[in-house]
Amino acid sequence: MDKAVKFLAAALTLWLSAGAVATSAELSDGQSIHRRSERVFATRTVRALDWRARAKADALLGFKYEHGLGVPQSYEPAVDLYISAAEQGDPMGQYLLGLMYDKGQGVQQDGIRAYMWLNLAAAHAPRRYREYYLKMRDAVASKMTPGQIVTGQRLATAWVPKRVSVEVAPVVPVLPPRW
């Protein structure tokens, strides 16, 4: 488990830093101002349109807070980030939020909410993770009454993902000074 946490943290760090390094290297190569403003506009547009990437980044950053990987360990910010990712429909965020509700870490322990989020994670997960998510959901269900399970299923059925709107600031080209 410890190896998996370290591996996931390393992968997250590489993934998050790769984009920033590539963008800063390209912008410092002395490209023309016109090309630079086009690239900035394209980058902002892609970031605004790709809400899935933001949800995944929130889930991975929450994981770092939960386990204290490069940041102070704290369950409250982890839960906030998991909620953001889960509400946007990210299966990993839904899964990790379900576990937090099951354990009562950073939130009040709530088996119904745990079941709901784990059920949604299993429904939206890639095939390779689905069976594992289902096992976790069933483990939570084994501690619940049939009425609680029905309530959790109803909440999962009524759930609708939220799309986070990212405001794109207008790109103002920077002109060289006139001498």
Side-chain angles (χ1 to χ4, degrees), residues 31-41 171 173-175:
Q31 294 178 350
S32 71
I33 294 168
H34 178 69
R35 286 191 168 276
R36 190 176 310 160
S37 65
E38 282 180 352
R39 185 168 309 280
V40 170
F41 178 73
V171 177
V174 178
L175 301 175

Side-chain angles (χ1 to χ4, degrees), residues 5-134:
V5 169
K6 287 180 182 178
F7 178 75
L8 187 57
L12 169 68
T13 304
L14 286 173
W15 181 70
L16 290 175
S17 63
V21 170
T23 302
S24 65
E26 291 170 0
L27 293 178
S28 66
D29 284 342
Q31 294 178 350
S32 71
I33 294 168
H34 178 69
R35 286 191 168 276
R36 190 176 310 160
S37 65
E38 282 180 352
R39 185 168 309 280
V40 170
F41 178 73
T43 302
R44 287 181 179 169
T45 304
V46 168
R47 286 182 186 161
L49 295 177
D50 196 3
W51 56 268
R52 288 186 191 119
R54 178 167 182 218
K56 182 170 279 317
D58 284 347
L60 292 172
L61 184 57
F63 184 83
K64 290 184 87 170
Y65 271 104
E66 180 182 359
H67 297 284
L69 302 170
V71 294
Q73 182 180 12
S74 179
Y75 294 131
E76 288 77 19
V79 168
D80 290 341
L81 289 162
Y82 290 158
I83 288 171
S84 174
E87 287 180 344
Q88 293 176 63
D90 181 61
M92 184 169 62
Q94 293 169 338
Y95 168 74
L96 293 169
L97 182 60
L99 292 181
M100 296 297 268
Y101 273 113
D102 181 46
K103 298 173 196 170
Q105 294 176 330
V107 291
Q108 185 173 353
Q109 191 170 11
D110 186 350
I112 294 172
R113 295 266 180 220
Y115 182 88
M116 178 193 95
W117 287 115
L118 291 170
N119 199 21
L120 287 167
H124 298 123
R127 219 176 261 213
R128 64 179 179 244
Y129 300 123
R130 191 169 298 142
E131 191 166 324
Y132 180 73
Y133 289 178
L134 287 170

